[in-house]
Amino acid sequence: MTSAHATELLLFTVLIQLIIMIAAARALNTVFRRVGQPGVIGEIVAGLLLGPSFFGHFFPELSSTIFGEKPSQALVVISQIGLILLMFQIGSNFEFGHIATARNRKALALVTLVSVTIPFALGLAIGYASAATFAPDINQHVYALFCGVALAITAVPILGRILYEFGLNRHEIGVLAISAAALNDVIGWLMLASVAAIASASFAPQTAALQIGGVLIFGLLAFFVLRPLTYPLLAKFPLKDDSIPPNLLAIIIVFTFLMALCTYKLGIFAIFGGFAAGLLFHHDQKFTEAWRRQVGQFVLVFFLPVFFTFTGLRTNVLGLNTMLDLQWLAIILAASILGKIIPVYIAARISGYDHVQSTLLGTLMNTRALMELIVLNIGFEMGFIPQKIFTMLVIMAVVTTVMTGPLLRRILPRMGHVIPKGIDA
């Protein structure tokens, strides 16, 4: 087979995969929004249905013909680029001025602390208790540490989309939640990097300290050096007919990818570079709205379903076929849900929020889906967790996110918040 023919065959295969993934994600996005769920949950379910949990189980030969034995590198790269652009959009779309108040600064620190440490401790306990049953061939310390990290994660991208769909993206509690989730996930990625170092027998306190120092320096440079430069940049390339000029769009995309490279080298994953880049532009609301119209919708419709399908192809819900499997699934669900909501609720109450606001914050911080799925895929690839635990944690990620929509619809009217209607997401 010639190189040109191989390229054409790869293109043909990828196009078929993209057609199926995008169509399925959009169809279930529509269905789930009509039943009161955030559309992104439908997209996640679409990804799971395309994997061995449904399509691969009932039509194994057809599934293997279309998707192969494992996802192609082309799909992996496409999904990662999409996540970086999505994180830029989320970072640029939030107003973080609320964090300037003393109460919110106190709440941010306390909520971040409890939303990481308590779920991590519960996950650690689950890891050690279940190691002999599910991971006898994996280093039990690495396995337990990874379980702790998995329970500690909160999903910034999906939380951002949920906040937008419910009109909370500029609300005080919404801003606090996304800020705490961002810190939560940076800490989570540092913890994940430490687990990887321990697994490779290369962990050293000096290395961890250097990594944390690098993250802090990156944040300071972004805020004090790069952020001021965005003002003259946006002034030099003003919007035309409420659209971003091509030159400005190219500059920002290149800049975002450069930021992604920086955070990748710091060991906290490239997508956080996208989030950091977006934060630098959040002060210009007209720009962020234009970005969402020109780039954001394409990212949500084209890129994100690729990642959800990539995860779905590795998840086999039908593989949990014993009573012991279901019992451990129930334990993981209980620990992950209660370990997030209750500590965050208590932290919010201590910080001066009322019962309804604290409940809302705990509910939002329980959202895990996308970041959880990213972490789980990394852990699975690196051999930190076995197939069954991977599946249980994927289910946990979906369940904790599915809960959010119905709970918000019960909580928000009690605090006088009107839920927007007809949002296309």
Side-chain angles (χ1 to χ4, degrees), residues 291-313:
W291 175 277
R292 181 170 56 83
R293 289 193 303 270
Q294 285 180 249
V295 183
Q297 289 298 318
F298 181 75
V299 170
L300 297 181
V301 172
F302 175 78
F303 283 108
L304 209 52
V306 178
F307 175 76
F308 291 143
T309 303
F310 170 70
T311 302
L313 291 174

Side-chain angles (χ1 to χ4, degrees), residues 98-109 351 353:
H98 289 302
I99 303 303
T101 68
R103 181 178 75 161
N104 287 350
R105 285 198 301 269
K106 175 184 176 182
L108 176 60
S351 301
Y353 292 95

Side-chain angles (χ1 to χ4, degrees), residues 114-194:
V114 302
S115 68
V116 172
T117 56
I118 295 178
F120 177 79
L122 292 173
L124 196 67
I126 288 173
Y128 279 117
S130 64
T133 302
F134 293 105
D137 299 325
I138 300 174
N139 182 304
Q140 68 167 345
H141 302 301
V142 171
Y143 167 69
L145 286 168
F146 182 83
C147 289
V149 173
L151 262 65
I153 293 294
T154 293
V156 171
I158 300 305
L159 178 59
R161 289 186 66 180
I162 289 173
L163 292 177
Y164 173 74
E165 289 188 24
F166 283 87
L168 292 169
N169 53 306
R170 292 184 180 271
H171 188 280
E172 180 182 27
I173 299 296
V175 171
L176 178 58
I178 198 71
S179 302
L183 291 175
N184 179 300
D185 284 344
V186 170
I187 295 170
W189 283 109
L190 290 172
M191 293 164 65
L192 181 59
S194 298

Side-chain angles (χ1 to χ4, degrees), residues 311-365:
T311 302
L313 291 174
R314 313 172 79 167
T315 306
N316 185 8
V317 175
L318 301 178
L320 304 181
N321 50 15
T322 70
M323 184 57 66
L324 183 62
D325 293 341
L326 298 179
Q327 288 172 348
W328 275 106
L329 174 61
I331 292 171
I332 288 173
L333 286 172
S336 61
I337 294 169
L338 299 179
K340 277 281 188 181
I341 294 179
I342 294 176
V344 171
Y345 172 86
I346 294 172
R349 293 289 282 165
I350 292 173
S351 301
Y353 292 95
D354 63 28
H355 169 70
V356 177
Q357 292 172 322
S358 300
T359 304
L360 173 61
L361 187 58
T363 301
L364 292 172
M365 290 299 293

Side-chain angles (χ1 to χ4, degrees), residues 399-418:
V399 169
T400 54
T401 309
V402 166
M403 292 171 54
T404 306
L407 288 175
L408 291 183
R409 292 186 182 279
R410 292 179 62 89
I411 295 169
L412 292 179
R414 295 167 58 189
M415 53 186 289
H417 181 81
V418 178

Side-chain angles (χ1 to χ4, degrees), residues 10-299:
L10 175 62
L11 176 62
F12 179 80
T13 303
V14 170
L15 288 176
I16 290 177
Q17 293 171 344
L18 290 173
I19 289 169
I20 294 172
M21 290 185 286
I22 293 170
R26 189 50 26 185
L28 285 183
N29 177 294
T30 302
V31 169
F32 272 65
R33 283 192 290 115
R34 287 180 177 174
V35 298
Q37 278 284 352
V40 67
I41 304 301
E43 296 176 18
I44 295 172
V45 171
L48 293 175
L49 292 178
L50 289 175
S53 299
F54 182 78
F55 185 58
H57 177 76
F58 293 103
F59 309 97
E61 293 184 4
L62 182 58
S63 175
S64 179
T65 300
I66 294 173
F67 294 108
E69 295 301 320
K70 62 179 181 178
S72 69
Q73 283 299 111
L75 293 183
V76 175
V77 172
I78 289 172
S79 69
Q80 296 306 305
I81 292 173
L83 292 179
I84 292 170
L85 294 174
L86 175 64
M87 292 294 276
F88 177 92
Q89 180 175 334
I90 290 170
S92 67
N93 202 43
F94 284 88
E95 176 53 62
F96 287 89
H98 289 302
I99 303 303
T101 68
R103 181 178 75 161
N104 287 350
R105 285 198 301 269
K106 175 184 176 182
L108 176 60
L110 193 56
V111 166
T112 301
L113 177 65
V114 302
S115 68
V116 172
T117 56
I118 295 178
F120 177 79
L122 292 173
L124 196 67
I126 288 173
Y128 279 117
S130 64
T133 302
F134 293 105
D137 299 325
I138 300 174
N139 182 304
Q140 68 167 345
H141 302 301
V142 171
Y143 167 69
L145 286 168
F146 182 83
C147 289
V149 173
L151 262 65
I153 293 294
T154 293
V156 171
I158 300 305
L159 178 59
R161 289 186 66 180
I162 289 173
L163 292 177
Y164 173 74
E165 289 188 24
F166 283 87
L168 292 169
N169 53 306
R170 292 184 180 271
H171 188 280
E172 180 182 27
I173 299 296
V175 171
L176 178 58
I178 198 71
S179 302
L183 291 175
N184 179 300
D185 284 344
V186 170
I187 295 170
W189 283 109
L190 290 172
M191 293 164 65
L192 181 59
S194 298
V195 174
I198 292 171
S200 62
S202 62
F203 178 80
Q206 300 93 328
T207 303
L210 284 174
Q211 187 177 41
I212 294 171
V215 172
L216 292 175
I217 292 171
F218 173 81
L220 292 173
L221 287 175
F223 186 82
F224 291 107
V225 178
L226 297 178
R227 184 172 178 271
L229 296 178
T230 63
Y231 290 88
L233 176 65
L234 294 177
K236 183 175 178 60
F237 298 98
L239 300 184
K240 296 179 180 179
D241 299 324
D242 293 326
S243 296
I244 303 173
N247 286 347
L248 177 61
L249 188 59
I251 291 170
I252 290 176
I253 290 175
V254 170
F255 172 72
T256 301
F257 289 165
L258 286 172
M259 294 281 279
L261 289 176
C262 290
T263 54
Y264 169 78
K265 296 301 290 185
L266 287 170
I268 55 171
F269 204 67
I271 64 170
F272 279 101
F275 183 71
L279 290 179
L280 303 182
F281 290 89
H282 86 276
H283 57 81
D284 193 317
Q285 188 173 355
K286 289 184 178 180
F287 166 79
T288 58
E289 291 175 353
W291 175 277
R292 181 170 56 83
R293 289 193 303 270
Q294 285 180 249
V295 183
Q297 289 298 318
F298 181 75
V299 170

